[in-house]
Amino acid sequence: MKFRLALGVAALALAISTPALAELKYKPGEGPFNWANFEELKKVDLKGETLTIFGPWRGDDEAHIQVVLEYFREATGAEVKYSSSENYEQQIVIDTEAGSPPNIAILPQPGLLADLAAKGRLVPLADTDAAFITDNYGAGASWVALGTYKGKDGASAFYAFPYKADLKSLVWYVPENFSDAGYEIPKTMEELVALSDKIVADGGKPWCIGLGSGGATGWPATDWVEDLMLRTQSPEVYDKWVTNEIKFDSPEVVSAIEEFGKFAKNDAWVDGGAAGVASTDFRDSPKGLFSTPPKCYMHRQASFIPSFFPEGTKVGADADFFYFPPFAAKPDLGKPVLGAGTLATITKDSKAARAFIEYLKMPLSHEVFMADGGFLTPLKTVNQAAYINDAARKQGEILSSATTFRFDGSDLMPGKIGAGAFWTGMVDYVGGKSAQDTGAAIQKAWDEIK
């Protein structure tokens, strides 16, 4: 959500529908795919049935999902119609309330899906679907919790099957810069802090940080705080914070904000000093990695940031990344990952809709998208060799080996907080306000929501 805001995507209401592809892109029996899945899928006869799917994917991503859908069409004989809209969040509400929902709705907003479930607009998935996620996904229990909501009757059920994940817990760097300086990849937060001090001692700046994003200025700092919450507090505390059961000015949250401040408010650690953090656009902030000599050595940002690297930069060679590490002093917190993702739900039940959920359990439905690009999955049974490149493969391995996964916290909070007071509060914090006062101001805004 924040990435869309940052890029200034316009909200247009026109939905689109794309016809089926002419042929299978990857020939069955060839390449690093689980073709046994395709043979199994052929046993499902859906000839004469139509499956309607509504999702967020447009442009290149829409072309990718059509490749995935074509194997389902070919194997089952179903007619599959995919549609999207640039204002898909509003469109799905309109369609479900009008009584004309698609069979399958795929959305990246768990909060919106929870609202639809509470209104009786979603159909519960099977208990076996939840069990499959628990057993076969990295941090499976986390994903099940993310897709479990209360229905119209108040009873909790599993409604949303995770498909396609995004990864935020990454630190980007230039391998040549590290090699020239003799720096090694840190495996713990303590080592990361020590490396930052070492870079300063060597006369460099360890970090480039930019919070600027037009009307969305401040959102990169919320990702930092969320990642640090997962590295200083239990997942249960994180969940209570997101729902405001634990307040923004509580010691747990204030401590995480202060941890962020150790990076962003340290003139010696950040390019441009603390004063430059809020004024630097997030799209420009990684450019310091590529300066000669480098203006900084590290940049914490999600998997999309290479889009803003200098033209021609090759990830894995000219730039690379490592997992934003946990504290060695807190081994009980395991290997947490912050991210986002899309969730598939049934909004109009049918045999084809249930078969499609079964298809999403198959490695093949992930591997085809992996090979096309722009796709990460926590499914542990996929063939990792199907990923389009080594960088995607390494990110996929981070997801599949995670012990805890949590969705971007600000995207789960009320809009006035997660896309408002939290953003502006972090800018004020970097500008000089204390962590305690920052938390109190954000909490005041939350308390004022009626």
Side-chain angles (χ1 to χ4, degrees), residues 5-17:
L5 286 168
L7 294 180
V9 176
L12 301 176
L14 182 63
I16 61 171
S17 181

Side-chain angles (χ1 to χ4, degrees), residues 256-298:
I257 294 174
E258 289 175 338
E259 287 292 334
F260 168 59
K262 291 178 182 178
F263 293 83
K265 297 179 77 167
N266 186 338
D267 287 337
W269 274 24
V270 63
D271 179 44
V277 171
S279 61
T280 301
D281 191 284
F282 87 95
R283 287 157 284 213
D284 294 330
S285 57
K287 292 179 180 177
L289 296 171
F290 304 96
S291 300
T292 304
K295 292 183 178 180
C296 61
Y297 283 80
M298 293 177 285

Side-chain angles (χ1 to χ4, degrees), residues 432-447:
K433 184 178 283 191
S434 72
Q436 186 67 49
D437 289 346
T438 297
I442 300 171
Q443 186 56 48
K444 183 175 184 293
W446 203 320
D447 292 341

Side-chain angles (χ1 to χ4, degrees), residues 32-82:
F33 306 99
N34 278 275
W35 291 120
N37 293 163
F38 189 57
E39 296 305 314
E40 187 69 20
L41 200 59
K42 288 180 179 179
K43 299 175 184 178
V44 181
D45 185 2
L46 297 176
K47 294 182 181 65
E49 294 207 28
T50 298
L51 177 69
T52 53
I53 300 174
F54 183 81
W57 298 305
R58 300 172 63 82
D60 290 342
D61 277 343
E62 183 183 349
H64 297 328
I65 193 62
Q66 286 290 353
V67 172
V68 176
L69 296 179
E70 192 60 21
Y71 289 88
F72 186 83
R73 294 184 180 104
E74 177 71 19
T76 67
E79 180 182 5
V80 181
K81 297 181 178 179
Y82 174 81

Side-chain angles (χ1 to χ4, degrees), residues 2 219 222 409-423 446:
K2 289 184 292 195
W219 72 258
T222 69
S410 59
D411 280 351
L412 298 177
M413 296 173 185
K416 290 183 178 179
I417 306 303
F422 195 3
W423 289 353
W446 203 320

